[in-house]
């Protein structure tokens, strides 16, 4: 083997020793371990041997200096003033100081890491503290995830499937949501979290594809279907592998393929397509009717951030997609309904206000196969009216809701409409005011309005209404700064009668004098 693999004085090495089988240690890692002046390793307890050291034991020289870095806590509980993370931060500072003394003396230091040093490994925190001051090299290792996948011996990802790696410490609803949104997954950090993790897997509807792997690649390796595991006997060094199905990842493609396989003229009763408004932000603004529908449908279809707001549960399949494919989402919903499934297509705010309701009807109109599918629109709180309520009652009289996006209509139509509403003295709420792909349109709209309205016209900017970071700015058309506005902001331009109270509340009288 080349001498360049030997450890050099004053150098820090993060060396992955693999998941358990010493035969999976790489040749480069072995040479560095054999030649190091100092071998360091993290250890859960003084009474329990380090897993990483145990894996590499045959390569460690008797005369080498060893640094056992023993964790002060191994759970989330700590009496440290800063809690668990405060205790761990102090611990990593101590680790770095101990290793720094060796590096400053010109000794080579190898820090052993089970699996890979930067994959849920403690070495990364030492690396953060020391790599700017000492030459540092990271030697990758076979991950426990790779060993577990090999132990399951089934295809993990196929075609365009995505693989998601998740910690078992996530709350059950969040873990279930993320599992439902991916194709294949690996869940780390089990032990005490196992019962909750298995419940999340069940709720996500992927229990039949889930495998439990204990101590992957070691002599004590154990592989079982997840459903068969006793929760009382699960060590921390275990992993759940959820294999991808043998199909393409695109959910719309799958639904169309399923629809093509169904015999025409069959007796299957078509399901119902519900188009559901989720409200503009907090869960408490979801209507009881919307919650009832979401609690019983078999499928939820929508733009990814909106699908993410629907709690995962057993029996629910989620179909998240990107922006600008609204009609495709409608077609997917109809195809699922033709197979007898009840489907919810979700939108933020009210689905009938610049939302998915119109796109669903557009999809229905274009394909006669969908004519007999029942479509029901479930209203939601609109973003415009939530923003107006935050301000006071700025939409208290006649008003218009206008999208500034020119994706579905020419910009000159937008200008004609906002100027017509301004001449009619209507208050106006602007959706889609400004985005990265359309950074100039609010400024152009401002110029168009100033051709009709005075600079003193009241303007309200409501951002993140009902969510973290909620803010309200009351300004005038002349002072409006488009740079203050993004897609999370709703812009309201008042009517001539719109007033601002001494306390900053904005309202528009119902009467016209």
């Amino acid at each position: 083997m080349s001498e360049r693999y030997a450890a050099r004085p004053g150098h820090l090495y993060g060396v992955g020793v693999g998941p358990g089988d010493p035969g999976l240690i790489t040749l480069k890692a072995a040479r560095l371990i054999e030649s190091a002046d100092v071998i360091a390793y993290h250890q859960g307890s003084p009474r329990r041997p380090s897993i990483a050291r145990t894996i590499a034991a045959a390569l460690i020289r008797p005369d080498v200096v060893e640094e056992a870095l023993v964790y002060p806590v191994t759970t989330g509980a700590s009496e440290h003033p800063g809690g668990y993370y405060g205790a761990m931060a102090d611990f990593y500072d101590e680790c770095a100081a101990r290793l720094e003394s060796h590096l400053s003396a010109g000794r080579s230091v190898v820090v052993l890491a089970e699996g890979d040093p930067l994959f849920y490994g403690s070495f990364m925190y030492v690396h953060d503290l020391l790599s700017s001051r000492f030459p540092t090299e990271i030697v990758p290792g076979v991950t426990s995830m790779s060993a577990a996948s090999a132990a399951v011996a089934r295809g993990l990802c196929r075609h365009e499937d995505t693989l998601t790696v998740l910690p078992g410490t996530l709350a059950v609803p969040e873990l279930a949501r993320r599992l439902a949104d991916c194709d294949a997954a690996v869940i780390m950090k089990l032990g005490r979290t196992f019962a909750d993790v298995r419940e999340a897997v069940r709720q996500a509807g992927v229990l039949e594809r889930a495998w439990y792997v204990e101590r992957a690649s070691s002599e004590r390796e154990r592989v079982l279907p997840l459903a068969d595991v006793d929760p009382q006997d699960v060590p921390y060094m275990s992993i759940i592998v959820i294999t991808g199905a043998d199909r393409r990842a695109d959910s719309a493609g799958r639904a169309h393929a399923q629809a093509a396989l169904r015999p025409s003229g069959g007796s299957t009763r078509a399901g119902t397509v519900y188009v559901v408004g989720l409200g503009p932000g907090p869960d408490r603004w979801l209507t009881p009717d919307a919650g009832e529908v979401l609690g019983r449908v078999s499928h939820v279809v929508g733009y990814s951030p909106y699908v993410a707001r629907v709690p995962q549960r057993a029996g629910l399949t989620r179909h998240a997609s990107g922006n600008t494919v609204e009609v495709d989402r409608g077609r997917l919903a109809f195809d699922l309904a033709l197979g007898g499934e009840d489907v919810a297509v979700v939108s933020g705010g009210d689905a009938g206000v610049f939302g998915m309701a119109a796109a669903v009807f557009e999809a229905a109109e274009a394909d006669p196969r969908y004519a007999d599918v029942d479509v029901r629109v479930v209203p939601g709180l609109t973003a415009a009216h939530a923003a107006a309520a935050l301000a006071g009652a700025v939409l208290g009289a006649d008003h218009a809701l206008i999208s500034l996006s020119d994706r579905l209509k020419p910009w000159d139509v937008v200008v004609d409409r906002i100027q017509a509403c301004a001449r009619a003295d209507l208050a106006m709420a602007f959706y889609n005011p400004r985005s990265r792909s359309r950074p100039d349109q609010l400024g152009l709209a401002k110029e168009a309005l100033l051709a009709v309205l005075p600079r003193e016209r009241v303007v309200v900017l409501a951002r993140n209404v009902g969510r973290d970071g909620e803010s309200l700015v009351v300004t005038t058309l002349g002072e409006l700064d488009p740079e203050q506005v993004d897609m999370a902001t709703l812009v309201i331009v008042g009517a001539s009668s719109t007033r601002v109270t001494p306390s900053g509340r904005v309202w528009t009288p119902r009467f016209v004098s």
Side-chain angles (χ1 to χ4, degrees):
M1 185 183 296
S2 170
E3 287 299 317
R4 69 189 179 91
Y5 288 153
R8 288 174 283 179
H11 281 56
L12 173 67
Y13 298 89
V15 176
V17 296
D21 182 354
L24 295 178
I25 298 176
T26 66
L27 296 175
K28 182 174 183 178
R31 174 54 66 91
L32 288 169
I33 295 168
E34 291 172 333
S35 60
D37 299 319
V38 179
I39 296 291
Y41 41 83
H42 289 87
Q43 190 168 330
S45 163
R47 296 183 298 277
R48 293 182 181 178
S50 161
I51 296 173
R53 192 200 184 284
T54 300
I55 296 170
L59 300 170
I60 298 175
R61 302 191 324 273
D63 62 334
V64 77
V65 176
E66 295 193 35
E67 289 282 1
L69 309 173
V70 182
Y71 296 113
V73 289
T74 55
T75 68
S78 173
E79 296 181 358
H80 189 282
Y84 171 80
Y85 290 107
M88 293 304 293
D90 287 351
F91 168 64
Y92 289 125
D93 286 341
E94 177 193 340
C95 293
R98 289 171 62 181
L99 301 184
E100 182 177 4
S101 65
H102 293 295
L103 294 166
S104 297
R107 302 185 189 103
S108 59
V109 177
V110 165
V111 181
L112 304 178
E114 57 261 41
D116 182 88
L118 300 184
F119 187 70
Y120 291 112
S122 294
F123 170 75
M124 68 180 77
Y125 303 104
V126 175
H127 173 271
D128 292 344
L129 294 167
L130 295 176
S131 60
S132 64
R133 304 202 303 276
F134 298 96
T136 304
E137 183 177 348
I138 298 168
V139 180
V142 176
T143 65
S144 56
M145 177 179 72
S146 298
S149 175
V152 170
R154 285 168 174 78
L156 186 58
C157 297
R158 304 171 188 267
H159 305 297
E160 290 79 34
D161 282 358
T162 57
L163 173 65
T164 303
V165 180
L166 297 164
T169 50
L170 291 174
V172 171
E174 178 65 9
L175 182 57
R177 179 186 71 77
R178 296 195 187 197
L179 288 171
D181 288 345
C182 68
D183 301 298
V186 171
I187 307 175
M188 317 283 293
K189 302 183 179 182
L190 300 182
R192 283 183 292 268
T193 69
F194 178 79
D196 285 345
V197 170
R198 186 162 66 179
E199 173 59 18
V201 173
R202 186 192 68 81
Q203 290 183 16
V206 293
L207 188 60
E208 74 283 355
R209 292 192 280 119
W211 293 85
Y212 168 85
V213 183
E214 183 177 303
R215 298 183 176 93
S217 84
S218 74
E219 293 180 353
R220 300 165 64 191
E221 176 182 279
R222 195 162 66 116
V223 181
L224 290 169
L226 179 60
D228 297 344
V229 178
D230 181 356
Q232 304 303 317
D233 188 28
V234 174
Y236 181 80
M237 299 300 291
S238 53
I239 289 177
I240 293 172
V241 176
I242 300 171
T243 58
D246 188 5
R247 39 88 174 138
R248 294 184 66 86
D250 180 73
S251 59
R254 293 198 299 272
H256 283 298
Q258 292 164 359
L261 292 173
R262 286 193 296 269
S264 60
S267 59
T268 302
R269 180 195 67 83
T272 299
V273 173
Y274 297 90
V275 195
V276 179
L278 301 176
D283 291 342
R284 66 183 183 274
W285 287 353
L286 182 73
T287 69
D289 280 356
E292 187 274 330
V293 169
L294 296 175
R296 63 178 170 80
V297 295
S298 301
H299 299 265
V300 170
V301 176
Y303 180 37
S304 296
Y306 300 144
V307 171
R309 290 172 54 187
V310 180
Q312 181 57 40
R313 55 175 170 76
L316 178 66
T317 301
R318 303 148 66 92
H319 306 268
S321 56
N323 206 355
T324 74
V325 290
E326 293 88 350
V327 177
D328 287 341
R329 287 198 284 267
R331 294 190 191 103
L332 170 59
F334 280 116
D335 285 336
L336 292 167
L338 286 176
E341 305 279 9
D342 286 341
V343 186
V345 181
V346 293
S347 274
D350 183 280
V353 179
F354 304 119
M356 279 299 304
V360 166
F361 284 108
E362 184 179 340
E365 185 178 68
D367 193 327
R369 293 185 304 128
Y370 304 148
D372 294 330
V373 176
D374 188 18
V375 177
R376 303 183 189 179
V377 180
V378 181
L381 177 64
T382 70
H385 297 132
L390 179 65
V394 65
L395 299 180
D398 296 341
H399 59 270
L401 309 182
I402 300 174
S403 171
L404 294 189
S405 172
D406 62 350
R407 188 172 66 84
L408 298 174
K409 58 181 181 287
W411 178 247
D412 59 354
V413 171
V414 176
V415 172
D416 287 346
R417 289 179 178 177
I418 62 176
Q419 287 186 329
C421 289
R423 292 189 180 98
D425 200 16
L426 298 177
M428 292 171 278
F430 292 152
Y431 283 68
N432 306 311
R434 189 168 181 268
S435 68
R436 277 183 241 172
S437 61
R438 297 177 290 100
D440 302 324
Q441 287 180 218
L442 182 59
L444 295 173
K446 173 183 173 178
E447 292 177 8
L449 288 173
L450 284 172
V452 180
L453 300 177
R455 295 177 58 85
E456 295 75 24
R457 183 58 56 88
V458 176
V459 172
V460 169
L461 308 179
R463 188 175 188 278
N464 281 340
V465 179
R467 292 170 282 171
D468 290 342
E470 177 182 86
S471 65
L472 182 74
V473 174
V474 180
T475 184
T476 64
L477 186 59
E479 295 297 322
L480 170 63
D481 179 6
E483 294 295 326
Q484 290 183 281
V485 175
D486 60 16
M487 286 293 283
T489 306
L490 197 131
V491 179
I492 303 178
V493 178
S496 62
S497 59
T498 300
R499 305 170 187 183
V500 182
T501 70
S503 63
R505 306 289 279 167
V506 184
W507 68 290
T508 302
R510 295 173 298 156
F511 52 82
V512 176
S513 56

